[in-house]
């Protein structure tokens, strides 16, 4: 059930940057003015900057940058308006939490967003650094029951394109994709995607897929840890007005748009156009070692076509393989 505080936040979000009188808020929420005042105080304790001016009322400062369901919802367009959002301050991993919910029957379109992850996961068993306050960590549950399993990689592809476009919608520039799941700006990884799927035993189709994306929205306080400082970057150098809610919403808008109209062609072409690897010398890293190759293309099923030094070619699927762009060692 939605409480008074949440309903007031929704109202303030709708009128962000403008004043709404205590009386008007009380009327719209069907509560007393004292209840409005109490809810304002609890929101302030959570960090919301709410100005109160006599004869004008309350106004949520346009600079406030706190993730919330109401804050994200405000920017959702029709394709994403039906999503079920939950925002958590902290979680081990939004993917883990959502997979638990998926196994318990949660519906397609369930979304968990967190402000911090204590055990954020990356591909190939890696960790995803997910500090408090400077990132957006988001997972979305899909049940593309008619999709054959090999189309699952398409979900990562859509997320990569949607992630790039979301960043650009907020003013980011030159956003590129490093096959298969990393988003780069200025030679640094600013976002990563992890799609985890479960197959139905009987028909071999996708039972569900959880697509998780993490954005380093701002530089973490004190900088990235030593092992990441040469690789990782932030989307924006400094705080942007309501940046985190907007980025989450812009991602969801675009993802749902592509997912809803997906015969694949539209987003695969966009993925290719943003590729950081096509035409480059790369290192293909497999379990049994690494080989130099040239990345030739990404095909319709999002395989990476490479040519090794001896002239042999291979189509790589994302499974157990990573690539590094040879010269920049990323
Ligand atoms: C990678 O860089 O290899 C992928 C990183 C994916 C990180 C996101 S953050 C939200 C979701 N929850 C996780 O634990 N991981 C994904």
């Amino acid at each position: 059930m939605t409480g008074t505080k949440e309903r007031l936040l929704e109202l303030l979000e709708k009128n962000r940057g403008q004043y709404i009188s205590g009386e008007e808020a009380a009327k719209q929420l069907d509560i007393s003015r004292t209840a409005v005042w109490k809810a304002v105080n609890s929101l302030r304790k959570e960090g919301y900057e709410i100005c109160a001016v006599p004869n004008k009322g309350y106004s949520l400062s346009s600079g406030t940058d706190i993730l919330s369901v109401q804050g994200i919802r405000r920017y959702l367009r029709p394709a994403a308006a039906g999503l079920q959002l939950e925002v958590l301050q902290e979680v081990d991993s939004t993917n883990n939490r959502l997979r638990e919910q998926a196994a318990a029957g949660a519906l397609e379109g369930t979304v968990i967003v967190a402000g911090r992850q204590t055990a954020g996961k990356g591909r190939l068993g890696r960790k995803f650094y997910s500090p408090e306050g400077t990132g957006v960590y988001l997972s979305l549950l899909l049940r593309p029951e008619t999709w054959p399993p090999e189309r699952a990689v398409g979900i990562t592809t859509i997320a990569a394109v949607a992630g790039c476009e979301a960043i650009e919608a907020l003013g980011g520039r030159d956003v590129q994709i490093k096959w298969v799941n990393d988003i780069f700006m200025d030679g640094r990884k600013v976002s990563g995607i992890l799609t985890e799927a479960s197959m139905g035993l009987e028909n071999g189709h996708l039972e569900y897929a959880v697509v998780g994306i993490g954005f380093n929205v701002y530089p973490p306080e004190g900088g990235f840890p030593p092992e990441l400082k040469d690789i990782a970057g932030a989307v924006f150098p400094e705080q942007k007005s309501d940046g985190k809610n907007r980025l989450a919403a812009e991602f969801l808008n675009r993802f749902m748009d592509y997912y809803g109209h997906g015969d694949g062609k539209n987003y695969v072409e966009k993925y290719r156009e943003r590729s950081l690897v096509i035409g480059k010398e790369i290192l293909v890293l497999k379990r049994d070692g690494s080989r130099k190759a040239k990345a030739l293309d990404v095909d319709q099923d999002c395989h990476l076509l490479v040519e090794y030094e001896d002239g042999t070619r291979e189509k790589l699927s994302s499974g157990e393989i990573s690539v590094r762009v040879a010269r920049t060692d990323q």
Side-chain angles (χ1 to χ4, degrees):
M1 219 181 86
T2 317
T4 304
K5 189 180 70 181
E6 288 76 17
R7 291 196 303 134
L8 177 67
L9 180 57
E10 191 178 346
L11 190 61
L12 291 171
E13 279 289 5
K14 276 191 191 141
N15 297 283
R16 200 182 245 259
Q18 290 163 12
Y19 281 88
I20 176 157
S21 72
E23 192 181 350
E24 180 58 28
K27 195 169 136 202
Q28 288 203 29
L29 302 179
D30 197 18
I31 55 176
S32 68
R33 287 179 64 173
T34 314
V36 171
W37 178 75
K38 280 187 182 160
V40 165
N41 280 341
S42 17
L43 287 170
R44 280 179 173 159
K45 280 191 191 128
E46 288 177 21
Y48 289 93
E49 232 179 277
I50 301 170
C51 306
V53 174
N55 300 326
K56 283 175 95 177
Y58 302 106
S59 162
L60 178 62
S61 144
S62 50
T64 299
D65 191 13
I66 300 176
L67 279 169
S68 71
V69 171
Q70 297 78 3
I72 297 173
R73 196 162 279 297
R74 171 169 180 243
Y75 300 105
L76 291 182
R77 291 197 294 273
L83 297 173
Q84 279 302 316
L85 305 178
E86 183 181 3
V87 172
L88 305 168
Q89 301 250 9
E90 178 183 301
V91 69
D92 57 345
S93 149
T94 54
N95 267 31
N96 284 354
R97 180 66 70 93
L98 195 53
R99 285 175 69 188
E100 285 164 20
Q101 294 190 5
L107 299 178
E108 168 158 288
T110 307
V111 177
I112 298 182
V113 187
R116 173 177 185 233
Q117 295 185 119
T118 53
K121 299 187 299 181
R123 264 182 81 232
L124 309 177
R126 297 179 189 134
K127 291 184 180 144
F128 188 77
Y129 180 60
S130 312
E132 183 181 357
T134 53
V136 170
Y137 315 106
L138 177 160
S139 298
L140 163 64
L141 173 61
L142 304 167
R143 293 191 180 276
E145 279 151 11
T146 56
W147 286 30
E150 58 274 15
R151 260 191 88 182
V153 65
I155 294 172
T156 300
T157 316
I158 297 177
V161 173
C164 292
E165 292 183 350
I167 291 171
E168 283 177 356
L170 268 76
R173 290 279 159 267
D174 298 325
V175 197
Q176 288 186 293
I177 301 166
K178 199 192 90 180
W179 186 87
V180 58
N181 67 325
D182 290 337
I183 298 181
F184 271 63
M185 281 174 76
D186 296 329
R188 287 177 178 269
K189 174 169 168 174
V190 297
S191 171
I193 297 153
L194 175 66
T195 305
E196 298 183 279
S198 167
M199 302 300 159
L201 285 180
E202 279 168 21
N203 58 11
H205 279 181
L206 282 173
E207 189 190 350
Y208 68 79
V210 166
V211 55
I213 184 161
F215 294 97
N216 306 325
V217 186
Y218 309 118
E221 276 173 39
F224 285 99
E227 69 278 14
L228 295 179
K229 77 174 177 31
D230 296 329
I231 307 164
V235 173
F236 304 112
E238 56 201 25
Q239 195 123 338
K240 240 188 160 43
S241 165
D242 208 15
K244 288 182 279 181
N245 285 324
R246 279 162 67 203
L247 192 59
E250 291 296 351
F251 168 77
L252 291 169
N253 284 331
R254 285 167 170 79
F255 185 95
M256 293 310 291
D257 229 0
Y258 288 120
Y259 178 69
H261 301 98
D263 63 355
K265 286 196 196 99
N266 53 352
Y267 57 79
V268 175
E269 195 43 49
K270 291 186 174 172
Y271 185 96
R272 265 193 212 111
E273 284 164 9
R274 292 183 180 275
S275 172
L276 189 70
V277 298
I278 294 176
K280 298 246 175 78
E281 302 299 326
I282 60 168
L283 274 181
V284 177
L285 308 168
K286 296 193 189 183
R287 279 194 174 165
D288 54 355
S290 65
R291 277 181 86 181
K292 280 190 184 168
K294 183 168 184 187
L296 300 179
D297 200 4
V298 173
D299 74 9
Q300 202 56 29
D301 300 316
C302 303
H303 298 127
L304 182 68
L305 177 64
V306 299
E307 185 172 273
Y308 295 107
E309 287 179 308
D310 62 6
T312 55
R313 291 183 172 196
E314 191 179 8
K315 269 187 181 179
L316 307 176
S317 61
S318 60
E320 294 287 287
I321 300 164
S322 292
V323 297
R324 286 194 179 165
V325 180
R327 262 165 299 147
T328 54
D329 198 32
Q330 275 153 358

